Amino acid sequence: MTDFGHDGGVTSARLIGAVAGSAISLVYLLPKHRREAAVRFLTGVACGLIFGGPVGLWGAAQLGLEGRLSPAETMLAGATLASFTAWWGLGVLVRLTGRAGDKVGGPSP
C-alpha cells in the first residue's frame, strides 16, 4: 500500500488535483449562476482534498498501476477524479432539482 505520510509533495499534489478537477469540470458542465459556480467549485475542491487518497488508490488498483505510480502521482490523479466527480454530481443534482421544481410549481404568472 502507498504511504501518504506528511510529505509536502503529496499535499501539494492533493491541492493541485482538487483544483484541476474542478477547473476541468467547468469546461464540460457550465454553471448557470455565480453562486452555483462557487458552491460547486468549493465542493469539488473539498471532495478532492478529502477523498483524493482513497480514490487514487482505488484507481491505481483498478488500472493495475499500484507499483508504478509515486504517492504524489496517485494523490494527484485521485484528487482530480474525486473533484471532477463531485462537480458533475452536484451539477446534475442542481439541474434535476431545478427541472422538478419547474414541473411542481408550474410556470410563474
Side-chain angles (χ1 to χ4, degrees), residues 19-78:
V19 172
S22 287
I24 291 168
S25 300
L26 242 173
V27 175
Y28 293 105
L29 188 61
L30 293 172
K32 291 186 178 184
H33 306 289
R34 287 184 185 182
R35 183 171 186 235
E36 180 186 350
V39 168
R40 286 171 51 197
F41 181 79
L42 292 175
T43 301
V45 170
C47 285
L49 291 173
I50 295 167
F51 299 111
V55 172
L57 291 173
W58 175 81
Q62 293 298 313
L63 297 172
L65 299 173
E66 293 143 313
R68 297 180 184 182
L69 297 176
S70 70
E73 291 170 325
T74 303
M75 185 63 73
L76 179 65

Side-chain angles (χ1 to χ4, degrees), residues 90-104:
L90 211 58
V92 169
L93 184 63
V94 165
R95 301 285 160 82
L96 290 176
T97 56
R99 289 182 186 157
D102 290 344
K103 290 179 182 177
V104 171

